[in-house]
Amino acid sequence: GAFAATDNLTFDYAVSYSDPEYKDGTTSEAIVRYELCDNVVCSADGDISGNTIQRTPKTQAAVGATYEGDLANGLGYFVHADATYQSKQYLTEMNVGYIPSRTLLNASAGITSENWGVRLWVKNLADEKYVSNSFVVTGGVPVFSNYHASLGQKRTFGLTVDVNF
């Protein structure tokens, strides 16, 4: 959604919530085949009923604000900031390991005209360290099962030039 607070100031927002879980009676063949569970941390018979589906955050949200104004000679300017949130997500159907929740801040500012625009931007403004994705490699026995995590991008800056023709 979007809300125009004034002629120059707008807010935008988005929220999603899902509760993706395995139905009653669902079993994981991988848990049984590779003997991944020991009946202490998770069920050795492969029962994953009620567990959250892997790599699916329950909640995601974003909120942003943009201030726009006019300069001389048909030029305009804008300043934008936003925050994005993602709740934790489990790595496997066993719901043992998970990627923690994260909140990232972004900002941009630019000058625009009818035919061109220049925008300076920064992503992950606070330089948060976070895991963006992870997967599990199973080597056939639990000893050889490993989590492989990918870290998210550090703070990045950029300059974008747009030309309309």
Side-chain angles (χ1 to χ4, degrees):
F3 171 70
T6 69
D7 288 343
N8 301 90
L9 180 62
T10 58
F11 296 98
D12 55 89
Y13 56 91
V15 176
S16 71
Y17 176 80
S18 61
D19 194 8
E21 66 178 44
Y22 291 101
K23 294 181 180 181
D24 287 343
T26 303
T27 58
S28 169
E29 183 179 321
I31 291 173
V32 175
R33 180 185 314 144
Y34 299 118
E35 299 176 355
L36 298 176
C37 292
D38 58 4
N39 275 336
V40 175
V41 175
C42 56
S43 178
D45 66 1
D47 183 12
I48 55 172
S49 301
N51 286 4
T52 300
I53 294 176
Q54 67 268 26
R55 291 197 254 173
T56 307
K58 286 189 175 186
T59 306
Q60 295 184 82
V63 62
T66 303
Y67 188 86
E68 298 176 293
D70 293 323
L71 298 170
N73 301 322
L75 296 177
Y77 69 93
F78 69 90
V79 177
H80 176 82
D82 63 69
T84 60
Y85 170 79
Q86 179 177 293
S87 65
K88 77 177 182 182
Q89 53 184 309
Y90 290 102
L91 301 175
T92 68
E93 67 272 20
M94 296 176 287
N95 286 187
V96 177
Y98 64 89
I99 296 173
S101 64
R102 67 174 182 253
T103 301
L104 300 176
L105 304 174
N106 307 296
S108 62
I111 297 175
T112 59
S113 78
E114 185 176 326
N115 297 321
W116 59 269
V118 176
R119 178 172 60 104
L120 179 63
W121 51 266
V122 59
K123 294 182 180 180
N124 191 5
L125 183 64
D127 202 21
E128 294 289 326
K129 287 186 179 181
Y130 66 98
V131 175
S132 64
N133 194 9
S134 185
F135 61 94
V136 178
V137 175
T138 304
V141 292
V143 175
F144 298 111
S145 297
N146 295 299
Y147 290 99
H148 295 272
S150 299
L151 294 179
Q153 284 191 332
K154 298 180 69 123
R155 181 186 305 130
T156 55
F157 297 87
L159 179 70
T160 301
V161 177
D162 297 314
V163 177
N164 299 321
F165 53 92

